Amino acid sequence: MAQTQDTRAETGPVDFEDMLTELAERRTEFREQSYVSSDFIDRLKGLGIYRASTPAMFGGDPLPPAEFLEQVERISAVDGSTGWGASFGSALVYLAALPLETQAELYADGPDVCFAGGLFPVQRAEPTDRGFLVNGRWKFASGCMGADILGVGIPGDDSTAGKPRTALLRPDQVEIIRDWDVSGMRATGSFDLSVDHVEVPREWTFIRGGAPTVDEPLYRYPALAYAAQVLSVVSAGVARAALDHAITVGAGRSGVTGAPKLADRAYYRTGIAEAEAALRSARAYFYEVAHETYESVLSGDPASERQNAHLRLSASNLARVSAKVVGQVVEISGTGVIYNTHPLQWLMDDALVPQQHAFLGPAMFDAAGAVLMNQPATVPGFA
């Protein structure tokens, strides 16, 4: 297997804080261009974000899920879009299902690999002697502008039990179509990917959530649940930013009409307190089950169906509660919020996005409830 060289500079709390400071200065730049610049992706690589799910056997520094989630949350409190992109530092858990020889080649230049995927709609791929002839267009490839490797969804077959495959391609094999025109999470660069009849070897395809070929603890943690968690925690960071803004502004000057400042109004104090309690409660449940499940994995026990259900439920709950928290802050914040330049406008738009994701939508509550009552999950890909 290929030997990897650790080129990452020594990092620590100061480096992370410096990155957040730079992010605060550049988030408008990223929003205006609709993607996070490649040099900032490199900045995140230097902090280990994109080796946090690279196998240790290939030079990675795999983090316990809760530790990685906390990093994504802190980034998202400064800019949700950048937090969304950073969250895909966890996506290499999917690639652990590739043959070991393929992974060795993937990490031959180092463990800091940024992966982005446009997995839907699944596009037909003609089988070849070596693999698959990939052709088509895929949507929602968040972070594709700074990616080192890209994935697109193709059908499965008898060998995958019908589950779709993801085919991996290098950036020079893919055309990025910049059609991302949205209000929320604008800087995620969730553009379309277009591939024109490129043959992808079979060993460069995998089943998302498929059995890993790497025997390390992180790859025994439920992969699809982790994918839901990293997106959900972005909304928690956005909600935290909204609350912090509201607390700071509320203690400030009186309104333009001469009315008492917001902090002197009972409805404002009550609203902030309710939102604070709701967010902290949802976070506590979210991190509790993340810690509990990883401890089970570390002890050698596979994650149970109930643990997976709690991971999925707590993630969907956090996304829903976070959006409600931002909405409540907006509701009590007065007329100034109607201006496009108001910080809460940006945060409100970003907060709505995670709960719309298929991994976090209303169906997840039904599926989790079914499993908790010893019934089969009601949605595919729940575990």
Side-chain angles (χ1 to χ4, degrees):
M1 294 180 185
Q3 297 296 313
T4 59
Q5 181 179 4
D6 189 343
T7 58
R8 182 180 58 171
E10 291 187 9
T11 60
V14 174
D15 301 291
F16 199 89
E17 294 297 332
D18 287 346
M19 178 273 293
L20 295 179
T21 299
E22 180 184 347
L23 177 57
E25 295 168 351
R26 299 186 63 185
R27 58 191 174 188
T28 300
E29 167 200 338
F30 300 158
R31 185 175 175 85
E32 289 175 349
Q33 68 187 17
S34 297
Y35 63 92
V36 178
S37 298
S38 294
D39 69 293
F40 199 82
I41 298 297
D42 289 340
R43 184 92 152 89
L44 295 175
K45 284 182 178 179
L47 292 170
I49 297 296
Y50 293 103
R51 65 168 59 189
S53 61
T54 300
M57 66 183 298
F58 295 115
D61 185 16
L63 293 180
E67 187 174 337
F68 181 76
L69 291 165
E70 287 171 353
Q71 291 186 357
V72 173
E73 184 179 10
R74 292 190 63 203
I75 295 169
S76 302
V78 179
D79 180 52
S81 291
T82 305
W84 190 271
S87 79
F88 291 104
S90 69
L92 299 183
V93 297
Y94 292 148
L95 275 56
L98 290 165
L100 291 177
E101 294 78 8
T102 303
Q103 294 184 59
E105 186 176 346
L106 177 67
Y107 301 118
D109 294 329
D112 301 299
V113 173
C114 180
F115 168 62
L119 305 181
F120 297 101
V122 172
Q123 300 285 3
R124 186 174 178 274
E126 182 181 343
T128 68
D129 291 341
R130 296 178 59 241
F132 304 92
L133 190 62
V134 176
N135 184 62
R137 181 167 171 171
W138 294 261
K139 302 194 72 63
F140 302 122
S142 300
C144 59
M145 294 294 289
D148 302 300
I149 192 79
L150 296 159
V152 296
I154 63 174
D157 51 31
D158 291 343
S159 68
T160 70
K163 296 179 180 178
R165 293 179 182 271
T166 298
L168 296 181
L169 302 107
R170 298 292 182 180
D172 61 5
Q173 297 175 303
V174 179
E175 179 188 2
I176 295 174
I177 301 172
R178 302 191 193 184
D179 65 343
W180 186 238
D181 183 16
V182 296
S183 56
M185 297 291 177
R186 279 182 59 181
T188 58
S190 301
F191 302 127
D192 286 11
L193 302 181
S194 178
V195 179
D196 185 11
H197 295 90
V198 175
E199 186 178 30
V200 177
R202 180 176 292 270
E203 62 268 22
W204 283 86
T205 70
F206 65 92
I207 304 169
R208 187 167 59 160
T213 57
V214 176
D215 185 19
E216 296 179 15
L218 180 60
Y219 313 102
R220 296 193 290 270
Y221 190 85
L224 295 178
Y226 196 19
Q229 287 181 298
V230 296
L231 300 179
S232 176
V233 82
V234 172
S235 62
V238 173
R240 181 72 265 158
L243 270 169
D244 288 348
H245 173 82
I247 291 168
T248 300
V249 170
R253 61 182 177 80
S254 301
V256 295
T257 63
K261 62 186 180 183
L262 292 170
D264 290 336
R265 307 178 195 185
Y267 74 85
Y268 192 83
R269 296 192 299 268
T270 300
I272 293 298
E274 289 174 345
E276 186 77 45
L279 180 60
R280 286 178 178 264
S281 298
R283 284 184 75 257
Y285 174 33
F286 177 82
Y287 281 109
E288 174 191 333
V289 295
H291 283 294
E292 175 192 306
T293 304
Y294 197 60
E295 286 300 317
S296 293
V297 168
L298 288 176
S299 69
D301 296 325
S304 68
E305 290 185 1
R306 291 182 68 84
Q307 285 176 323
N308 182 74
H310 278 296
L311 291 174
R312 300 300 300 265
L313 177 59
S314 65
S316 294
N317 181 64
L318 182 59
R320 176 182 287 187
V321 169
S322 296
K324 288 182 177 179
V325 162
V326 178
Q328 182 162 348
V329 169
V330 169
E331 182 180 342
I332 63 177
S333 290
T335 307
V337 178
I338 69 174
Y339 287 92
N340 286 329
T341 55
H342 196 286
L344 287 177
Q345 281 286 345
W346 185 337
L347 295 170
M348 181 171 61
D349 289 341
D350 283 354
L352 293 176
V353 175
Q355 67 174 348
Q356 304 303 118
H357 196 281
F359 277 180
L360 299 168
M364 296 303 113
F365 290 87
D366 177 40
V371 173
L372 294 177
M373 289 183 282
N374 298 314
Q375 298 180 11
T378 53
V379 298
F382 188 73

